[in-house]
Amino acid sequence: MPQTAALDGLNDQQLAAVSCPVGTTLVLAGPGSGKTRVLTQRIACLIEREGAAPRSILAVTFTNKAAREMRSRLDRLLGTAAADVTLGTFHSVCTRILRREAPSFGLDRSFTIYDRDDQMALIKRVLKTLNVDDKQYRPSSVLAEISRAKSDMIGPHEYRPPSYWHEVVGRAYEAYQAALTANNALDFDDLLLVTVRGLEAHPEVLDRYRQRYRHVLVDEFQDTNLPQYRLVRLLCDDSTDLFLVGDEDQSIYGWRGADYRNLGRVREDYPGVRTLLLERNYRSSQTILDAAKAVIARNAQRVHKDLQADKGVGEPIVVYRASGPDEEADAVVAEIERLVSSDGFGLGDFAVMYRMNSQSRALEEAFMRRHIPYRLLGGTRFYQRREIKDILSYLRLISTRNEWVAFDRVINVPPRGLGDVSLGHLRNMADRDGLGPYDALRRLRDDEQAASTLTGRARRALLDFLETWEELVDSSEKMSVAELIDAILGEWGYGIFILSSGPEAEDRMANVQELRGAVAELQPGRDQLATFLDEVALVADVDELQEAVDAPVLLTLHTAKGLEFPVVFIVGMQEGVLPHSRALEEPDELEEERRLCYVGMTRAMKRLYLLHAATSRMYGQSDLALPSRFLKEIPIEVIASGPGAAADSSTPPRSGRRVMVRPSTTPSLAPAGAAEAVREPAEVATYSVGESVSHSKFGRGTVIKYETTADDAEVTVAFEGKGIKRLLVSLARLTRV
């Protein structure tokens, strides 16, 4: 093999990183900058130019996909020598160590690794043993909390629950860990935790690994959690050649334990660390990079990187304002159809990204209305989500009354203390007399003999359910579907049930409120309810569409990490969505939201569309929404003009002001050839705190906050009986009273 093979095809910055002297090196690699090439050719360089033994090299990645890609490249570069390089994920590397060192660490070498299904089965058994209702304490939520504790290196005996929900989790954690031990098993978090603690407790074992691995390379270092960082620190003494690749701008997994500040800790723990940059981008156009750079530049805790595109300037970015999420979705689908028919794109070239899973509802329905196949990546289709199926089952009971499938699904959701025996007696009576569930419960109420097979507790629970059921059936002619959903949440107790479901509560309630928002315009009446349920049944049956390979991808921004697409749409770019409402008052969380936006934008190769809606349905109501602050940070020069796009750049904005144009009746994202004239925003009214105002929908209220924005003003009003609302003054049409 030629001695120059390891250095072939590199730009100047890549060459500097690949050929740098041994020592501690931190490479800050911007998106699309070729970090995988740098890592693999660094390994080749160590072997070819530095004379490193392949078995002395340890390379750690975060995903099996990345490990396979690196292994394939190393095989091409090094031939048979590549086989002696230790390469794998953190978990696979730890597994090798644990298998080898099991006796020293007090383990049986034949231990089993429990995958996700195994963990779920075990935690369900644990919860059952503890008499914990797995509908109220969902096994997935309990497992997630246990995983978070392990990521913070908190064992079951050190776990300090801040609430009753966490107290139950703490008991489950202790029993779960005991069950793992009894089964000679480790879960994925244990692979890291047990390895770190074993190496810390046995210096002689640790020294062997330090002597073997003289060169350690780690990919995506910004995504390391505490055990992973501790493992790297343990394996690398002062003489180890440590090569770290990461980018604090792409750290978006703080919610699952990743800590981008580990990049800063490297500088503290290794004072002589060498820092290099990779700024040449091989994925996106310069226009896309300029927009993304302007957004991420507002973060304080970062190292500046001046990304430069290898592919030229490219097309301008389109910023589109829709009236609401449904029009937003229609505009996306229409633009995909246009680009496929006129610009030569294939259906598989598109990705539509969003902040929260609940936002997929409008998009899924828009694709299905136009009979365009799509793929939902990393999530469950909206109408297949557990809470949505529960609400729809309740609605079917109100509409049809005698449907056993719907009844069986929700009779114990939320838990009503009904066991299989009691429900079995009810079903036997119903089957004997040919009754549906509604009539069976009425028989139970009116016939003492029928009720005699049940305990008093079970009968009371069933009759309480029936009482609410009858009230809603009787009222359904006068109630809208949205009001019925409110009644399910309140009178049937489903809302409290969701809100007590642990870490998933917010997302689950967001899904329910998205459903409520989708039916907000339906008029009262049983016919409206029946029609809606029929439409949902048809919409939900899309398995054949989802199987298509060559199809647009729908995915969350978190799922988009590591992917790239010719055309990217990011929807829901309004305050409270992106950035998320919980981040607005927390500087660290706001910075992570900005990084999330940056990651989404830099997935785009050729074209980028950023969409926001004038109204938001985050909390079940169509409240007026402000454009995301991230949109306002994008330079006006890189934004297209045209119907639905940002304002024409031919009219210079004042003070960086950018004007969003309302969409036409027919959604269109295509920039117009002749730019529309930019109109200066009309003067907006001013209000004083404490002033009384009236709104056409919310009624009378009191101003509690007023502040100007770049091209409008925002007023916060406490409405009598309607709560606190944030409104755009230009759209609110408030009157003084």
Side-chain angles (χ1 to χ4, degrees):
M1 179 178 295
Q3 291 294 304
T4 59
L7 307 180
D8 287 347
L10 302 173
N11 65 39
D12 291 344
Q13 288 183 328
Q14 292 172 334
L15 180 62
V18 167
S19 61
C20 69
V22 296
T24 302
T25 302
L26 176 60
V27 180
L28 299 179
S33 61
K35 63 180 179 62
T36 302
R37 165 175 277 191
V38 166
L39 280 165
T40 52
Q41 295 193 215
R42 171 66 176 177
I43 295 172
C45 187
L46 289 171
I47 296 172
E48 294 179 353
R49 296 170 61 90
E50 301 294 335
R55 72 180 307 274
S56 72
I57 298 173
L58 169 65
V60 187
T61 69
F62 264 81
T63 66
N64 290 313
K65 178 184 176 183
R68 288 193 297 270
E69 174 64 20
M70 286 184 63
R71 177 64 71 185
S72 176
R73 295 193 186 194
L74 281 177
D75 288 341
R76 292 195 297 270
L77 281 170
L78 298 172
T80 57
D84 291 330
V85 175
T86 301
L87 171 60
T89 64
F90 273 99
H91 293 94
S92 67
V93 169
C94 286
T95 300
R96 297 181 199 183
I97 294 174
L98 291 175
R99 295 287 187 200
R100 190 176 295 119
E101 309 300 338
S104 299
F105 292 176
L107 295 173
D108 185 329
R109 188 174 276 123
S110 63
F111 66 83
T112 300
I113 300 172
Y114 275 13
D115 61 18
R116 180 68 176 179
D117 290 341
D118 297 327
Q119 291 175 259
M120 285 293 292
L122 181 59
I123 197 66
K124 286 179 180 178
R125 288 200 299 273
V126 165
L127 293 175
K128 187 175 182 179
T129 302
L130 295 174
N131 292 317
V132 173
D133 187 349
D134 65 2
K135 292 183 174 64
Q136 185 172 0
Y137 297 87
R138 295 181 67 181
S140 59
S141 299
V142 175
L143 272 180
E145 178 61 22
I146 292 173
S147 179
R148 274 190 284 272
K150 291 185 177 184
S151 293
D152 291 332
M153 302 192 70
I154 298 172
H157 301 298
E158 297 84 37
Y159 188 77
R160 298 292 181 264
S163 68
Y164 181 72
W165 188 90
H166 289 87
E167 183 180 326
V168 174
V169 171
R171 290 193 281 121
Y173 185 6
E174 188 171 349
Y176 170 80
Q177 205 60 34
L180 284 173
T181 302
N183 287 296
N184 190 31
L186 301 175
D187 64 18
F188 283 104
D189 294 303
D190 286 335
L191 295 176
L192 303 173
L193 203 54
V194 175
T195 301
V196 169
R197 288 176 172 168
L199 292 175
E200 289 177 337
H202 297 86
E204 72 287 356
V205 176
L206 174 60
D207 188 62
R208 287 206 307 273
Y209 286 95
R210 284 179 169 178
Q211 292 301 317
R212 173 175 177 178
Y213 295 124
R214 305 308 303 152
H215 307 275
V216 176
L217 302 92
V218 184
D219 190 16
E220 303 284 10
F221 196 72
Q222 79 280 350
D223 291 333
T224 52
N225 61 16
L226 181 57
Q228 290 161 340
Y229 184 78
R230 290 272 287 275
L231 179 65
V232 173
R233 287 284 290 131
L234 283 167
L235 291 175
C236 300
D237 59 21
D238 292 339
S239 62
T240 306
D241 175 39
L242 179 59
F243 191 86
L244 307 172
V245 180
D247 183 10
E248 66 270 89
D249 292 341
Q250 299 185 73
S251 179
I252 60 174
Y253 299 126
W255 51 276
R256 68 183 188 193
D259 191 349
Y260 73 94
R261 289 170 294 190
N262 285 341
L263 291 169
R265 293 186 180 105
V266 170
R267 301 185 186 97
E268 297 173 3
D269 293 336
Y270 299 90
V273 62
R274 177 189 306 108
T275 301
L276 303 174
L277 301 179
L278 297 183
E279 299 172 302
R280 191 71 175 174
N281 178 284
Y282 295 93
R283 174 188 300 151
S284 307
S285 69
Q286 192 62 52
T287 298
I288 293 170
L289 294 181
D290 287 346
K293 288 192 297 183
V295 172
I296 200 64
R298 301 295 183 102
N299 274 6
Q301 303 180 62
R302 63 182 296 270
V303 174
H304 173 74
K305 291 174 287 293
D306 185 20
L307 297 181
Q308 296 298 315
D310 188 67
K311 293 184 175 181
V313 176
E315 297 289 331
I317 292 167
V318 175
V319 177
Y320 181 83
R321 180 183 184 182
S323 61
D326 292 316
E327 186 193 279
E328 193 178 40
D330 286 338
V332 168
V333 175
E335 180 68 354
I336 289 174
E337 288 184 312
R338 188 188 72 82
L339 291 174
V340 169
S341 64
S342 63
D343 287 29
F345 288 97
L347 284 174
D349 291 334
F350 302 95
V352 190
M353 303 177 186
Y354 38 85
R355 175 64 177 84
M356 300 176 297
N357 281 305
S358 60
Q359 294 171 263
S360 76
R361 193 274 315 163
L363 292 161
E364 291 183 64
E365 292 187 1
F367 277 103
M368 287 181 283
R369 282 195 299 271
R370 305 293 278 266
H371 302 287
I372 297 175
Y374 69 92
R375 291 187 294 143
L376 192 67
L377 190 64
T380 304
R381 286 175 291 147
F382 183 82
Y383 287 106
Q384 295 301 315
R385 293 167 192 166
R386 182 173 179 175
E387 55 277 5
I388 298 302
K389 295 182 75 170
D390 287 347
I391 293 292
L392 293 175
S393 292
Y394 274 113
L395 290 173
R396 293 211 313 267
L397 289 182
I398 297 170
S399 178
T400 63
R401 280 175 278 189
N402 282 307
E403 186 185 329
W404 279 106
V405 172
F407 179 83
D408 290 340
R409 181 176 183 90
V410 301
I411 185 59
N412 250 342
V413 182
R416 298 183 173 89
L418 294 164
D420 292 339
V421 174
S422 297
L423 292 175
H425 286 314
L426 177 69
R427 189 62 181 264
N428 289 336
M429 178 196 71
D431 290 344
R432 184 182 64 247
D433 296 335
L435 302 175
Y438 187 78
D439 293 333
L441 291 185
R442 290 163 66 97
R443 171 76 62 85
L444 184 68
R445 180 190 60 195
D446 301 333
D447 187 339
E448 289 293 331
Q449 184 176 356
S452 63
T453 58
L454 300 174
T455 65
R457 179 184 176 185
R459 186 187 182 200
R460 284 193 299 275
L462 289 169
L463 294 185
D464 285 347
F465 186 91
L466 174 63
E467 182 179 359
T468 302
W469 194 354
E470 286 183 322
E471 290 175 357
L472 293 179
V473 168
D474 292 341
S475 304
S476 59
E477 189 61 50
K478 301 177 182 178
M479 297 176 70
S480 67
V481 179
E483 290 171 330
L484 289 172
I485 293 175
D486 290 341
I488 292 166
L489 295 173
E491 297 173 38
W492 254 323
Y494 194 78
I496 295 175
F497 169 68
I498 287 183
L499 293 175
S500 62
S501 62
E504 297 178 345
E506 185 177 1
D507 288 340
R508 296 184 67 198
M509 182 59 78
N511 286 330
V512 173
Q513 297 293 11
E514 173 64 24
L515 178 67
R516 189 196 183 282
V519 301
E521 303 302 321
L522 295 180
Q523 298 301 308
R526 291 197 186 99
D527 290 344
Q528 290 277 343
L529 173 60
T531 300
F532 165 71
L533 291 171
D534 288 344
E535 290 175 350
V536 166
L538 295 172
V539 163
D541 188 21
V542 292
D543 289 342
E544 73 281 0
L545 296 181
Q546 295 250 162
E547 296 301 320
V549 175
D550 188 29
V553 175
L554 311 185
L555 70 170
T556 66
L557 289 162
H558 283 103
T559 308
K561 179 74 180 298
L563 304 176
E564 61 182 31
F565 304 90
V567 184
V568 168
F569 300 84
I570 303 178
V571 301
M573 291 197 65
Q574 53 259 11
E575 293 287 291
V577 181
L578 182 66
H580 196 281
S581 56
R582 63 171 173 257
L584 298 180
E585 304 298 328
E586 296 291 336
D588 285 347
E589 292 191 23
L590 183 58
E591 289 211 351
E592 179 148 331
E593 291 291 300
R594 184 173 275 105
R595 293 194 294 269
L596 189 59
C597 182
Y598 174 79
V599 166
M601 294 172 73
T602 55
R603 300 310 94 190
M605 301 166 68
K606 296 180 179 180
R607 301 198 184 186
L608 176 62
Y609 296 81
L610 307 175
L611 296 92
H612 69 106
T615 59
S616 175
R617 288 201 295 256
M618 276 199 64
Y619 303 104
Q621 301 182 40
S622 293
D623 291 338
L624 297 173
L626 295 172
S628 170
R629 66 191 67 193
F630 304 150
L631 290 175
K632 300 178 181 179
E633 294 164 2
I634 299 173
I636 192 73
E637 295 79 13
V638 303
I639 300 177
S641 60
D648 173 28
S649 59
S650 66
T651 303
R654 298 183 301 178
S655 305
R657 175 181 296 162
R658 74 193 33 83
V659 181
M660 304 299 175
V661 179
R662 289 180 177 274
S664 59
T665 306
T666 302
S668 173
L669 303 188
E676 297 182 356
V678 177
R679 298 182 180 180
E680 292 294 329
E683 293 294 326
V684 296
T686 59
Y687 296 92
S688 303
V689 174
E691 189 172 4
S692 295
V693 295
S694 180
H695 186 272
S696 59
K697 178 180 179 182
F698 304 127
R700 189 181 177 114
T702 302
V703 176
I704 60 176
K705 187 178 181 181
Y706 177 89
E707 59 183 4
T708 59
T709 64
D711 51 10
D712 208 326
E714 179 186 343
V715 61
T716 304
V717 183
F719 289 101
E720 298 172 2
K722 298 291 186 180
I724 296 174
K725 308 292 181 183
R726 296 168 59 207
L727 308 170
L728 282 177
V729 172
S730 64
L731 300 176
R733 298 182 179 179
L734 296 171
T735 57
R736 291 180 169 87
V737 296

